[in-house]
Amino acid sequence: LCAGDLGLDYDDARIVTCHMGGGVTVAAHRYGQTIDTTHGIAGEGPFSPERCGEVYGQSLVEMSFSGQYTKEQILAYLQRDGGIKAYLGINDMREVEKRVMQGDPEATLVLRAMVFQIAKDIGSMIAVLEGRCDAVILTGGIAFSGMICGMIKQHVELMAPVKAYPGELEMEALAWGGLRVLRGEEKAATYVGYDK
């Protein structure tokens, strides 16, 4: 969708995508292929509404062997009870934004920190694309927030234009991909998924 909006075919585009939902995943796309990505569920990338993002290895080892936490508790912290939820006790970014607008200093600090980490990962993916990026695309439920998209844009717009496509369009993207295969415009690909 974005490549078409830019007047490019996806196979000719260099794009960084940032999907922002309960987790945040940032990926570099070059000429029709994803060439690098953060793996949010596994702990890579920025912290998000529910995920803690990258943590210092030594701290994680010490936490794991402290005897205070089970494996399940640590995985829950990494995957669904970390990030904004751990800092502020909520994972609804609309509520976080409301608190920021009301002048809550803790919510403001935590939101700015999350945006900083997102921008840092976007910048690293632009580096993967050798600094030549046609656009940065923001997707997911958080992309409905003009405030958050604007904050990210302030950090990265000098490197590439930033476009928001709010919502989750996974099913539409899969349908369009299937249609391209059926039309003979591209070959079906086999992907190896993440195994728990």
Side-chain angles (χ1 to χ4, degrees):
L1 182 62
C2 170
D5 288 350
L6 295 169
L8 297 170
D9 187 84
Y10 177 60
D11 291 338
D12 299 323
R14 299 166 74 93
I15 296 171
V16 171
T17 58
C18 178
H19 184 76
M20 304 178 294
V24 175
T25 304
V26 184
H29 303 258
R30 183 180 64 201
Y31 307 141
Q33 294 185 329
T34 302
I35 60 170
D36 198 0
T37 187
T38 59
H39 197 317
I41 291 178
E44 287 185 326
F47 75 84
S48 68
E50 298 175 350
R51 297 185 187 143
C52 67
E54 292 180 26
V55 296
Y56 294 112
Q58 182 175 341
S59 298
L60 185 59
V61 169
E62 288 174 3
M63 187 177 173
S64 299
F65 288 92
S66 70
Q68 296 178 307
Y69 306 95
T70 66
K71 175 183 175 182
E72 290 74 24
Q73 288 172 315
I74 292 172
L75 288 174
Y77 173 69
L78 293 173
Q79 298 172 353
R80 65 181 178 275
D81 294 330
I84 298 281
K85 186 175 180 182
Y87 286 118
L88 301 176
I90 56 174
N91 64 358
D92 186 336
M93 294 306 295
R94 294 167 297 191
E95 183 62 31
V96 173
E97 190 170 329
K98 186 186 302 180
R99 286 172 59 175
V100 169
M101 296 295 286
Q102 293 169 346
D104 181 326
E106 184 180 20
T108 301
L109 179 65
V110 170
L111 180 60
R112 289 181 64 202
M114 185 183 82
V115 166
F116 181 81
Q117 287 193 352
I118 291 170
K120 185 172 71 169
D121 278 358
I122 290 171
S124 72
M125 291 300 171
I126 291 173
V128 167
L129 295 174
E130 300 160 330
R132 295 183 324 225
C133 180
D134 297 310
V136 172
I137 307 307
L138 307 176
T139 67
I142 296 174
F144 282 108
S145 169
M147 173 192 285
I148 295 171
C149 290
M151 292 169 72
I152 293 168
K153 188 175 180 179
Q154 285 180 329
H155 285 281
V156 302
E157 69 181 338
L158 289 178
M159 294 182 273
V162 178
K163 297 185 174 290
Y165 291 84
E168 300 187 15
L169 305 171
E170 290 95 339
M171 293 300 115
E172 291 90 339
L174 288 170
W176 281 109
L179 185 59
R180 286 192 304 275
V181 170
L182 291 173
R183 288 178 175 166
E185 297 169 1
E186 64 182 74
K187 292 184 179 183
T190 301
Y191 294 94
V192 178
Y194 173 71
D195 224 300
K196 287 187 178 181

